Amino acid sequence: MALAAGFCDVSLDATAVTVNGVKTFKTVAAMQRTALGWRQAGLRIGFVPTMGFLHDGHMSLVREARRRVGATGRVVLSIYVNPTQFAPTEDLAKYPRDLKRDYALCREEGVDAVFLPSDAAMYPGKAGGLYSTYVVEERLTQGMEGVSRPTHFRGVTTVVAKLFNCVLPDVAVFGAKDWQQAAVIRRMSTDLNFPLKVIVAPTRREPDGLAMSSRNTYLGPEERSQALVLSESIAACRRAVAKGPAPAADLKKAVARLVKTRPAARLDYVEFFHPETLEPTREVRRGTQMALAVFVGKTRLIDNGRL
Ligand code: AMP
């Protein structure tokens, strides 16, 4: 992988390279050794896992991690487009990448280290068919994204567990934007006794309400405007339940009707559920969580909110 050519010097710490002013670990051993050293020195580690193509949603997680570990702590951001969470029909090959910009944002935000592993580092032996261990959460993954993307969460829990073992964080910060994912990771972390705290930080939005997402870059101008139907659906349901409880079936129909008014948009799912257990609810009221997935053109977008 070509990394910001022309600005890549070996730092004093022989295990890390400094890329555009940000310490970078590319091997698991280097990341682990450094993280262990930090922990032994009493420094707290805050961790933000990402797939790169960073935006202010990601950077808000970095700011939250910094708040949690303090000025003397270490904030690590990983950039890894994890192949096991993409189905063969999905956008792995064309997932947007811009390491140069990512590094500029990391430096600006005071990220202490980027963990930038290769596929071979993350999945040893996979090319030779030897890799054979996965982490599966069996309950919270059953609905919504787990239905539309049946192999997705196995990839997510596996890679996040592995990243936890590499970065050894005290605190890991995830975005509410991926509400189900955050719930699944919190469950996995508790179930597998990871010695860390999982924090979920609020969804950052563009001024017009569109949730920030690396995938927004796929949208053409007309699609970008029709993509507002996700946040508008949440706002419409919020207005509806402000007047009193409503049957989920009615609200689902209303959302389907609203999405149909945008020719480029196609509803994948809309669900109303308990914010923590993710249990679907028939009667929607204030405090119910809502999530939806909508294809806008070929781009699949998700959003969610508390009603
Ligand atoms: P990704 O790079 O899409 O895998 O996202 C990495 C992390 O950033 C995940 O914890 C996401 O939930 C979080 N994230 C993505 N978009 C947003 C957003 N708009 N606001 C807050 N967090 C976000």
Side-chain angles (χ1 to χ4, degrees), residues 258-293:
L258 184 59
V259 172
K260 272 213 169 117
T261 64
R262 314 297 148 94
R266 177 168 63 80
L267 182 64
D268 182 8
Y269 69 78
V270 53
E271 196 55 83
F272 299 90
F273 55 94
H274 185 281
E276 270 131 50
T277 65
L278 309 191
E279 208 55 55
T281 175
R282 280 196 202 154
E283 183 89 329
V284 181
R285 52 186 72 242
R286 276 180 202 224
T288 299
Q289 194 78 16
M290 163 182 180
L292 75 168

PDB file of all heavy atoms in Angstrom, residues 258-293:
ATOM      1  N   LEU A 258     -43.471   7.211   2.669  1.00  0.00           N
ATOM      2  CA  LEU A 258     -42.567   8.369   2.551  1.00  0.00           C
ATOM      3  C   LEU A 258     -41.370   8.029   1.658  1.00  0.00           C
ATOM      4  O   LEU A 258     -40.983   8.811   0.785  1.00  0.00           O
ATOM      5  CB  LEU A 258     -42.102   8.806   3.950  1.00  0.00           C
ATOM      6  CG  LEU A 258     -41.229  10.051   4.026  1.00  0.00           C
ATOM      7  CD1 LEU A 258     -41.932  11.267   3.438  1.00  0.00           C
ATOM      8  CD2 LEU A 258     -40.829  10.344   5.477  1.00  0.00           C
ATOM      9  N   VAL A 259     -40.801   6.835   1.864  1.00  0.00           N
ATOM     10  CA  VAL A 259     -39.624   6.447   1.063  1.00  0.00           C
ATOM     11  C   VAL A 259     -40.012   6.343  -0.416  1.00  0.00           C
ATOM     12  O   VAL A 259     -39.235   6.723  -1.300  1.00  0.00           O
ATOM     13  CB  VAL A 259     -39.015   5.120   1.585  1.00  0.00           C
ATOM     14  CG1 VAL A 259     -37.925   4.617   0.649  1.00  0.00           C
ATOM     15  CG2 VAL A 259     -38.461   5.306   3.001  1.00  0.00           C
ATOM     16  N   LYS A 260     -41.236   5.882  -0.665  1.00  0.00           N
ATOM     17  CA  LYS A 260     -41.687   5.733  -2.065  1.00  0.00           C
ATOM     18  C   LYS A 260     -41.788   7.060  -2.802  1.00  0.00           C
ATOM     19  O   LYS A 260     -41.761   7.087  -4.039  1.00  0.00           O
ATOM     20  CB  LYS A 260     -43.064   5.048  -2.077  1.00  0.00           C
ATOM     21  CG  LYS A 260     -42.976   3.540  -2.099  1.00  0.00           C
ATOM     22  CD  LYS A 260     -44.142   2.931  -2.890  1.00  0.00           C
ATOM     23  CE  LYS A 260     -43.886   1.458  -3.120  1.00  0.00           C
ATOM     24  NZ  LYS A 260     -44.895   0.615  -2.471  1.00  0.00           N
ATOM     25  N   THR A 261     -41.913   8.161  -2.034  1.00  0.00           N
ATOM     26  CA  THR A 261     -42.002   9.469  -2.697  1.00  0.00           C
ATOM     27  C   THR A 261     -40.663   9.884  -3.312  1.00  0.00           C
ATOM     28  O   THR A 261     -40.597  10.869  -4.034  1.00  0.00           O
ATOM     29  CB  THR A 261     -42.461  10.583  -1.722  1.00  0.00           C
ATOM     30  OG1 THR A 261     -41.466  10.732  -0.696  1.00  0.00           O
ATOM     31  CG2 THR A 261     -43.815  10.252  -1.099  1.00  0.00           C
ATOM     32  N   ARG A 262     -39.568   9.156  -2.996  1.00  0.00           N
ATOM     33  CA  ARG A 262     -38.244   9.476  -3.575  1.00  0.00           C
ATOM     34  C   ARG A 262     -37.890   8.381  -4.574  1.00  0.00           C
ATOM     35  O   ARG A 262     -37.611   7.231  -4.161  1.00  0.00           O
ATOM     36  CB  ARG A 262     -37.151   9.543  -2.499  1.00  0.00           C
ATOM     37  CG  ARG A 262     -37.515  10.323  -1.262  1.00  0.00           C
ATOM     38  CD  ARG A 262     -37.774  11.807  -1.546  1.00  0.00           C
ATOM     39  NE  ARG A 262     -38.784  12.319  -0.626  1.00  0.00           N
ATOM     40  CZ  ARG A 262     -38.517  12.914   0.525  1.00  0.00           C
ATOM     41  NH1 ARG A 262     -37.275  13.096   0.897  1.00  0.00           N
ATOM     42  NH2 ARG A 262     -39.488  13.343   1.302  1.00  0.00           N
ATOM     43  N   PRO A 263     -37.917   8.703  -5.857  1.00  0.00           N
ATOM     44  CA  PRO A 263     -37.766   7.664  -6.884  1.00  0.00           C
ATOM     45  C   PRO A 263     -36.463   6.866  -6.800  1.00  0.00           C
ATOM     46  O   PRO A 263     -36.440   5.693  -7.166  1.00  0.00           O
ATOM     47  CB  PRO A 263     -37.842   8.442  -8.199  1.00  0.00           C
ATOM     48  CG  PRO A 263     -38.008   9.873  -7.856  1.00  0.00           C
ATOM     49  CD  PRO A 263     -38.174  10.035  -6.394  1.00  0.00           C
ATOM     50  N   ALA A 264     -35.386   7.481  -6.293  1.00  0.00           N
ATOM     51  CA  ALA A 264     -34.104   6.747  -6.234  1.00  0.00           C
ATOM     52  C   ALA A 264     -34.027   5.844  -5.012  1.00  0.00           C
ATOM     53  O   ALA A 264     -33.095   5.054  -4.881  1.00  0.00           O
ATOM     54  CB  ALA A 264     -32.941   7.736  -6.232  1.00  0.00           C
ATOM     55  N   ALA A 265     -35.009   5.979  -4.096  1.00  0.00           N
ATOM     56  CA  ALA A 265     -34.899   5.287  -2.799  1.00  0.00           C
ATOM     57  C   ALA A 265     -35.751   4.022  -2.753  1.00  0.00           C
ATOM     58  O   ALA A 265     -36.839   3.961  -3.322  1.00  0.00           O
ATOM     59  CB  ALA A 265     -35.317   6.243  -1.688  1.00  0.00           C
ATOM     60  N   ARG A 266     -35.224   3.003  -2.082  1.00  0.00           N
ATOM     61  CA  ARG A 266     -35.971   1.753  -1.872  1.00  0.00           C
ATOM     62  C   ARG A 266     -35.739   1.297  -0.439  1.00  0.00           C
ATOM     63  O   ARG A 266     -34.599   1.126  -0.006  1.00  0.00           O
ATOM     64  CB  ARG A 266     -35.477   0.691  -2.861  1.00  0.00           C
ATOM     65  CG  ARG A 266     -36.129  -0.676  -2.691  1.00  0.00           C
ATOM     66  CD  ARG A 266     -35.805  -1.573  -3.886  1.00  0.00           C
ATOM     67  NE  ARG A 266     -34.375  -1.845  -4.015  1.00  0.00           N
ATOM     68  CZ  ARG A 266     -33.700  -2.749  -3.293  1.00  0.00           C
ATOM     69  NH1 ARG A 266     -34.311  -3.460  -2.381  1.00  0.00           N
ATOM     70  NH2 ARG A 266     -32.408  -2.947  -3.489  1.00  0.00           N
ATOM     71  N   LEU A 267     -36.848   1.112   0.287  1.00  0.00           N
ATOM     72  CA  LEU A 267     -36.737   0.733   1.705  1.00  0.00           C
ATOM     73  C   LEU A 267     -36.260  -0.712   1.829  1.00  0.00           C
ATOM     74  O   LEU A 267     -36.827  -1.615   1.211  1.00  0.00           O
ATOM     75  CB  LEU A 267     -38.105   0.895   2.378  1.00  0.00           C
ATOM     76  CG  LEU A 267     -38.156   0.597   3.879  1.00  0.00           C
ATOM     77  CD1 LEU A 267     -37.299   1.563   4.681  1.00  0.00           C
ATOM     78  CD2 LEU A 267     -39.606   0.625   4.383  1.00  0.00           C
ATOM     79  N   ASP A 268     -35.226  -0.938   2.618  1.00  0.00           N
ATOM     80  CA  ASP A 268     -34.774  -2.305   2.908  1.00  0.00           C
ATOM     81  C   ASP A 268     -35.531  -2.794   4.136  1.00  0.00           C
ATOM     82  O   ASP A 268     -36.253  -3.775   4.091  1.00  0.00           O
ATOM     83  CB  ASP A 268     -33.250  -2.304   3.098  1.00  0.00           C
ATOM     84  CG  ASP A 268     -32.708  -3.703   3.350  1.00  0.00           C
ATOM     85  OD1 ASP A 268     -33.469  -4.682   3.223  1.00  0.00           O
ATOM     86  OD2 ASP A 268     -31.519  -3.834   3.703  1.00  0.00           O
ATOM     87  N   TYR A 269     -35.385  -2.083   5.260  1.00  0.00           N
ATOM     88  CA  TYR A 269     -36.209  -2.406   6.438  1.00  0.00           C
ATOM     89  C   TYR A 269     -36.403  -1.154   7.277  1.00  0.00           C
ATOM     90  O   TYR A 269     -35.633  -0.191   7.183  1.00  0.00           O
ATOM     91  CB  TYR A 269     -35.575  -3.518   7.296  1.00  0.00           C
ATOM     92  CG  TYR A 269     -34.302  -3.105   8.005  1.00  0.00           C
ATOM     93  CD1 TYR A 269     -34.327  -2.331   9.166  1.00  0.00           C
ATOM     94  CD2 TYR A 269     -33.061  -3.492   7.507  1.00  0.00           C
ATOM     95  CE1 TYR A 269     -33.163  -1.939   9.802  1.00  0.00           C
ATOM     96  CE2 TYR A 269     -31.885  -3.100   8.138  1.00  0.00           C
ATOM     97  CZ  TYR A 269     -31.949  -2.323   9.278  1.00  0.00           C
ATOM     98  OH  TYR A 269     -30.795  -1.919   9.896  1.00  0.00           O
ATOM     99  N   VAL A 270     -37.464  -1.182   8.081  1.00  0.00           N
ATOM    100  CA  VAL A 270     -37.622  -0.198   9.153  1.00  0.00           C
ATOM    101  C   VAL A 270     -38.096  -0.989  10.362  1.00  0.00           C
ATOM    102  O   VAL A 270     -38.936  -1.880  10.241  1.00  0.00           O
ATOM    103  CB  VAL A 270     -38.586   0.946   8.774  1.00  0.00           C
ATOM    104  CG1 VAL A 270     -39.943   0.440   8.295  1.00  0.00           C
ATOM    105  CG2 VAL A 270     -38.773   1.899   9.958  1.00  0.00           C
ATOM    106  N   GLU A 271     -37.509  -0.708  11.526  1.00  0.00           N
ATOM    107  CA  GLU A 271     -37.850  -1.479  12.726  1.00  0.00           C
ATOM    108  C   GLU A 271     -37.962  -0.552  13.933  1.00  0.00           C
ATOM    109  O   GLU A 271     -37.288   0.483  13.993  1.00  0.00           O
ATOM    110  CB  GLU A 271     -36.766  -2.558  12.956  1.00  0.00           C
ATOM    111  CG  GLU A 271     -37.136  -3.660  13.902  1.00  0.00           C
ATOM    112  CD  GLU A 271     -38.435  -4.378  13.513  1.00  0.00           C
ATOM    113  OE1 GLU A 271     -38.384  -5.284  12.655  1.00  0.00           O
ATOM    114  OE2 GLU A 271     -39.488  -4.007  14.069  1.00  0.00           O
ATOM    115  N   PHE A 272     -38.846  -0.933  14.844  1.00  0.00           N
ATOM    116  CA  PHE A 272     -39.034  -0.209  16.110  1.00  0.00           C
ATOM    117  C   PHE A 272     -38.727  -1.188  17.235  1.00  0.00           C
ATOM    118  O   PHE A 272     -39.272  -2.306  17.239  1.00  0.00           O
ATOM    119  CB  PHE A 272     -40.466   0.317  16.211  1.00  0.00           C
ATOM    120  CG  PHE A 272     -40.801   1.271  15.097  1.00  0.00           C
ATOM    121  CD1 PHE A 272     -41.348   0.805  13.905  1.00  0.00           C
ATOM    122  CD2 PHE A 272     -40.540   2.634  15.224  1.00  0.00           C
ATOM    123  CE1 PHE A 272     -41.630   1.676  12.855  1.00  0.00           C
ATOM    124  CE2 PHE A 272     -40.822   3.506  14.182  1.00  0.00           C
ATOM    125  CZ  PHE A 272     -41.369   3.026  13.001  1.00  0.00           C
ATOM    126  N   PHE A 273     -37.905  -0.786  18.183  1.00  0.00           N
ATOM    127  CA  PHE A 273     -37.398  -1.780  19.143  1.00  0.00           C
ATOM    128  C   PHE A 273     -36.912  -1.130  20.433  1.00  0.00           C
ATOM    129  O   PHE A 273     -36.710   0.103  20.489  1.00  0.00           O
ATOM    130  CB  PHE A 273     -36.279  -2.602  18.487  1.00  0.00           C
ATOM    131  CG  PHE A 273     -35.147  -1.757  17.933  1.00  0.00           C
ATOM    132  CD1 PHE A 273     -34.013  -1.499  18.673  1.00  0.00           C
ATOM    133  CD2 PHE A 273     -35.228  -1.199  16.647  1.00  0.00           C
ATOM    134  CE1 PHE A 273     -32.976  -0.709  18.175  1.00  0.00           C
ATOM    135  CE2 PHE A 273     -34.193  -0.406  16.144  1.00  0.00           C
ATOM    136  CZ  PHE A 273     -33.075  -0.167  16.906  1.00  0.00           C
ATOM    137  N   HIS A 274     -36.701  -1.982  21.432  1.00  0.00           N
ATOM    138  CA  HIS A 274     -36.160  -1.500  22.704  1.00  0.00           C
ATOM    139  C   HIS A 274     -34.687  -1.120  22.494  1.00  0.00           C
ATOM    140  O   HIS A 274     -33.934  -1.902  21.897  1.00  0.00           O
ATOM    141  CB  HIS A 274     -36.284  -2.606  23.765  1.00  0.00           C
ATOM    142  CG  HIS A 274     -35.868  -2.165  25.126  1.00  0.00           C
ATOM    143  ND1 HIS A 274     -34.545  -2.063  25.508  1.00  0.00           N
ATOM    144  CD2 HIS A 274     -36.608  -1.771  26.192  1.00  0.00           C
ATOM    145  CE1 HIS A 274     -34.487  -1.627  26.748  1.00  0.00           C
ATOM    146  NE2 HIS A 274     -35.721  -1.448  27.194  1.00  0.00           N
ATOM    147  N   PRO A 275     -34.268   0.067  22.973  1.00  0.00           N
ATOM    148  CA  PRO A 275     -32.912   0.529  22.646  1.00  0.00           C
ATOM    149  C   PRO A 275     -31.791  -0.391  23.129  1.00  0.00           C
ATOM    150  O   PRO A 275     -30.732  -0.417  22.504  1.00  0.00           O
ATOM    151  CB  PRO A 275     -32.825   1.905  23.331  1.00  0.00           C
ATOM    152  CG  PRO A 275     -34.016   2.030  24.204  1.00  0.00           C
ATOM    153  CD  PRO A 275     -35.050   1.083  23.706  1.00  0.00           C
ATOM    154  N   GLU A 276     -32.016  -1.141  24.216  1.00  0.00           N
ATOM    155  CA  GLU A 276     -30.925  -1.991  24.698  1.00  0.00           C
ATOM    156  C   GLU A 276     -31.075  -3.451  24.303  1.00  0.00           C
ATOM    157  O   GLU A 276     -30.128  -4.072  23.825  1.00  0.00           O
ATOM    158  CB  GLU A 276     -30.772  -1.869  26.212  1.00  0.00           C
ATOM    159  CG  GLU A 276     -29.818  -0.756  26.599  1.00  0.00           C
ATOM    160  CD  GLU A 276     -30.410   0.149  27.657  1.00  0.00           C
ATOM    161  OE1 GLU A 276     -30.895  -0.392  28.670  1.00  0.00           O
ATOM    162  OE2 GLU A 276     -30.408   1.385  27.449  1.00  0.00           O
ATOM    163  N   THR A 277     -32.278  -4.001  24.488  1.00  0.00           N
ATOM    164  CA  THR A 277     -32.453  -5.421  24.171  1.00  0.00           C
ATOM    165  C   THR A 277     -32.626  -5.642  22.666  1.00  0.00           C
ATOM    166  O   THR A 277     -32.497  -6.764  22.181  1.00  0.00           O
ATOM    167  CB  THR A 277     -33.706  -5.985  24.864  1.00  0.00           C
ATOM    168  OG1 THR A 277     -34.860  -5.333  24.303  1.00  0.00           O
ATOM    169  CG2 THR A 277     -33.667  -5.759  26.361  1.00  0.00           C
ATOM    170  N   LEU A 278     -32.934  -4.575  21.945  1.00  0.00           N
ATOM    171  CA  LEU A 278     -33.235  -4.607  20.498  1.00  0.00           C
ATOM    172  C   LEU A 278     -34.503  -5.426  20.196  1.00  0.00           C
ATOM    173  O   LEU A 278     -34.767  -5.762  19.042  1.00  0.00           O
ATOM    174  CB  LEU A 278     -32.059  -5.135  19.654  1.00  0.00           C
ATOM    175  CG  LEU A 278     -30.674  -4.516  19.849  1.00  0.00           C
ATOM    176  CD1 LEU A 278     -29.717  -4.986  18.747  1.00  0.00           C
ATOM    177  CD2 LEU A 278     -30.706  -3.001  19.864  1.00  0.00           C
ATOM    178  N   GLU A 279     -35.260  -5.732  21.226  1.00  0.00           N
ATOM    179  CA  GLU A 279     -36.505  -6.491  21.066  1.00  0.00           C
ATOM    180  C   GLU A 279     -37.519  -5.649  20.287  1.00  0.00           C
ATOM    181  O   GLU A 279     -37.834  -4.529  20.705  1.00  0.00           O
ATOM    182  CB  GLU A 279     -37.047  -6.788  22.479  1.00  0.00           C
ATOM    183  CG  GLU A 279     -37.879  -8.043  22.624  1.00  0.00           C
ATOM    184  CD  GLU A 279     -37.164  -9.290  22.150  1.00  0.00           C
ATOM    185  OE1 GLU A 279     -36.056  -9.584  22.619  1.00  0.00           O
ATOM    186  OE2 GLU A 279     -37.750  -9.950  21.277  1.00  0.00           O
ATOM    187  N   PRO A 280     -38.040  -6.154  19.153  1.00  0.00           N
ATOM    188  CA  PRO A 280     -39.029  -5.368  18.387  1.00  0.00           C
ATOM    189  C   PRO A 280     -40.272  -5.099  19.233  1.00  0.00           C
ATOM    190  O   PRO A 280     -40.660  -5.931  20.056  1.00  0.00           O
ATOM    191  CB  PRO A 280     -39.382  -6.278  17.210  1.00  0.00           C
ATOM    192  CG  PRO A 280     -38.258  -7.236  17.102  1.00  0.00           C
ATOM    193  CD  PRO A 280     -37.724  -7.423  18.500  1.00  0.00           C
ATOM    194  N   THR A 281     -40.849  -3.925  19.030  1.00  0.00           N
ATOM    195  CA  THR A 281     -42.024  -3.565  19.797  1.00  0.00           C
ATOM    196  C   THR A 281     -43.211  -3.356  18.850  1.00  0.00           C
ATOM    197  O   THR A 281     -43.018  -2.889  17.724  1.00  0.00           O
ATOM    198  CB  THR A 281     -41.759  -2.294  20.631  1.00  0.00           C
ATOM    199  OG1 THR A 281     -42.946  -1.912  21.267  1.00  0.00           O
ATOM    200  CG2 THR A 281     -41.245  -1.149  19.788  1.00  0.00           C
ATOM    201  N   ARG A 282     -44.411  -3.739  19.314  1.00  0.00           N
ATOM    202  CA  ARG A 282     -45.599  -3.536  18.475  1.00  0.00           C
ATOM    203  C   ARG A 282     -46.184  -2.167  18.689  1.00  0.00           C
ATOM    204  O   ARG A 282     -46.762  -1.583  17.791  1.00  0.00           O
ATOM    205  CB  ARG A 282     -46.659  -4.577  18.842  1.00  0.00           C
ATOM    206  CG  ARG A 282     -46.366  -5.888  18.185  1.00  0.00           C
ATOM    207  CD  ARG A 282     -47.584  -6.767  18.218  1.00  0.00           C
ATOM    208  NE  ARG A 282     -47.148  -8.138  18.086  1.00  0.00           N
ATOM    209  CZ  ARG A 282     -47.795  -9.165  18.541  1.00  0.00           C
ATOM    210  NH1 ARG A 282     -48.948  -9.017  19.175  1.00  0.00           N
ATOM    211  NH2 ARG A 282     -47.325 -10.373  18.367  1.00  0.00           N
ATOM    212  N   GLU A 283     -46.026  -1.686  19.928  1.00  0.00           N
ATOM    213  CA  GLU A 283     -46.574  -0.385  20.286  1.00  0.00           C
ATOM    214  C   GLU A 283     -45.407   0.584  20.419  1.00  0.00           C
ATOM    215  O   GLU A 283     -44.541   0.395  21.271  1.00  0.00           O
ATOM    216  CB  GLU A 283     -47.318  -0.537  21.623  1.00  0.00           C
ATOM    217  CG  GLU A 283     -47.990   0.702  22.095  1.00  0.00           C
ATOM    218  CD  GLU A 283     -49.409   0.847  21.574  1.00  0.00           C
ATOM    219  OE1 GLU A 283     -49.719   0.376  20.450  1.00  0.00           O
ATOM    220  OE2 GLU A 283     -50.222   1.433  22.301  1.00  0.00           O
ATOM    221  N   VAL A 284     -45.388   1.585  19.561  1.00  0.00           N
ATOM    222  CA  VAL A 284     -44.253   2.513  19.560  1.00  0.00           C
ATOM    223  C   VAL A 284     -44.595   3.725  20.414  1.00  0.00           C
ATOM    224  O   VAL A 284     -45.674   4.293  20.271  1.00  0.00           O
ATOM    225  CB  VAL A 284     -43.933   2.957  18.116  1.00  0.00           C
ATOM    226  CG1 VAL A 284     -42.737   3.895  18.086  1.00  0.00           C
ATOM    227  CG2 VAL A 284     -43.679   1.737  17.236  1.00  0.00           C
ATOM    228  N   ARG A 285     -43.686   4.100  21.277  1.00  0.00           N
ATOM    229  CA  ARG A 285     -43.912   5.265  22.135  1.00  0.00           C
ATOM    230  C   ARG A 285     -42.614   6.043  22.274  1.00  0.00           C
ATOM    231  O   ARG A 285     -41.570   5.637  21.738  1.00  0.00           O
ATOM    232  CB  ARG A 285     -44.448   4.819  23.501  1.00  0.00           C
ATOM    233  CG  ARG A 285     -43.580   3.737  24.153  1.00  0.00           C
ATOM    234  CD  ARG A 285     -44.169   3.193  25.429  1.00  0.00           C
ATOM    235  NE  ARG A 285     -45.337   2.347  25.172  1.00  0.00           N
ATOM    236  CZ  ARG A 285     -46.565   2.604  25.619  1.00  0.00           C
ATOM    237  NH1 ARG A 285     -46.811   3.671  26.337  1.00  0.00           N
ATOM    238  NH2 ARG A 285     -47.559   1.783  25.361  1.00  0.00           N
ATOM    239  N   ARG A 286     -42.680   7.146  22.997  1.00  0.00           N
ATOM    240  CA  ARG A 286     -41.453   7.906  23.273  1.00  0.00           C
ATOM    241  C   ARG A 286     -40.432   6.994  23.929  1.00  0.00           C
ATOM    242  O   ARG A 286     -40.792   6.238  24.838  1.00  0.00           O
ATOM    243  CB  ARG A 286     -41.749   9.033  24.257  1.00  0.00           C
ATOM    244  CG  ARG A 286     -42.292  10.268  23.628  1.00  0.00           C
ATOM    245  CD  ARG A 286     -42.526  11.271  24.725  1.00  0.00           C
ATOM    246  NE  ARG A 286     -43.497  12.246  24.294  1.00  0.00           N
ATOM    247  CZ  ARG A 286     -43.345  13.554  24.505  1.00  0.00           C
ATOM    248  NH1 ARG A 286     -42.298  13.998  25.140  1.00  0.00           N
ATOM    249  NH2 ARG A 286     -44.260  14.399  24.085  1.00  0.00           N
ATOM    250  N   GLY A 287     -39.191   7.063  23.506  1.00  0.00           N
ATOM    251  CA  GLY A 287     -38.154   6.220  24.102  1.00  0.00           C
ATOM    252  C   GLY A 287     -37.896   4.950  23.307  1.00  0.00           C
ATOM    253  O   GLY A 287     -36.880   4.295  23.490  1.00  0.00           O
ATOM    254  N   THR A 288     -38.855   4.609  22.408  1.00  0.00           N
ATOM    255  CA  THR A 288     -38.601   3.474  21.508  1.00  0.00           C
ATOM    256  C   THR A 288     -37.486   3.874  20.538  1.00  0.00           C
ATOM    257  O   THR A 288     -37.384   5.031  20.152  1.00  0.00           O
ATOM    258  CB  THR A 288     -39.878   3.134  20.703  1.00  0.00           C
ATOM    259  OG1 THR A 288     -40.918   2.759  21.614  1.00  0.00           O
ATOM    260  CG2 THR A 288     -39.643   1.989  19.719  1.00  0.00           C
ATOM    261  N   GLN A 289     -36.652   2.917  20.170  1.00  0.00           N
ATOM    262  CA  GLN A 289     -35.603   3.180  19.180  1.00  0.00           C
ATOM    263  C   GLN A 289     -36.116   2.773  17.807  1.00  0.00           C
ATOM    264  O   GLN A 289     -36.859   1.793  17.685  1.00  0.00           O
ATOM    265  CB  GLN A 289     -34.338   2.381  19.524  1.00  0.00           C
ATOM    266  CG  GLN A 289     -33.085   2.820  18.783  1.00  0.00           C
ATOM    267  CD  GLN A 289     -32.458   4.073  19.364  1.00  0.00           C
ATOM    268  OE1 GLN A 289     -32.765   4.470  20.490  1.00  0.00           O
ATOM    269  NE2 GLN A 289     -31.592   4.715  18.608  1.00  0.00           N
ATOM    270  N   MET A 290     -35.732   3.542  16.805  1.00  0.00           N
ATOM    271  CA  MET A 290     -36.136   3.226  15.436  1.00  0.00           C
ATOM    272  C   MET A 290     -34.885   3.126  14.576  1.00  0.00           C
ATOM    273  O   MET A 290     -33.944   3.897  14.765  1.00  0.00           O
ATOM    274  CB  MET A 290     -37.018   4.364  14.927  1.00  0.00           C
ATOM    275  CG  MET A 290     -37.181   4.406  13.441  1.00  0.00           C
ATOM    276  SD  MET A 290     -38.192   5.825  12.995  1.00  0.00           S
ATOM    277  CE  MET A 290     -38.203   5.589  11.226  1.00  0.00           C
ATOM    278  N   ALA A 291     -34.865   2.156  13.665  1.00  0.00           N
ATOM    279  CA  ALA A 291     -33.732   2.062  12.727  1.00  0.00           C
ATOM    280  C   ALA A 291     -34.281   1.730  11.353  1.00  0.00           C
ATOM    281  O   ALA A 291     -35.308   1.059  11.232  1.00  0.00           O
ATOM    282  CB  ALA A 291     -32.745   0.992  13.179  1.00  0.00           C
ATOM    283  N   LEU A 292     -33.585   2.218  10.337  1.00  0.00           N
ATOM    284  CA  LEU A 292     -33.997   1.862   8.980  1.00  0.00           C
ATOM    285  C   LEU A 292     -32.786   1.785   8.058  1.00  0.00           C
ATOM    286  O   LEU A 292     -31.726   2.350   8.341  1.00  0.00           O
ATOM    287  CB  LEU A 292     -35.049   2.838   8.433  1.00  0.00           C
ATOM    288  CG  LEU A 292     -34.648   4.241   7.977  1.00  0.00           C
ATOM    289  CD1 LEU A 292     -35.802   4.890   7.207  1.00  0.00           C
ATOM    290  CD2 LEU A 292     -34.272   5.115   9.160  1.00  0.00           C
ATOM    291  N   ALA A 293     -32.965   0.993   6.989  1.00  0.00           N
ATOM    292  CA  ALA A 293     -31.954   0.892   5.936  1.00  0.00           C
ATOM    293  C   ALA A 293     -32.660   1.171   4.619  1.00  0.00           C
ATOM    294  O   ALA A 293     -33.753   0.653   4.371  1.00  0.00           O
ATOM    295  CB  ALA A 293     -31.329  -0.499   5.920  1.00  0.00           C
TER     296      ALA A 293
END
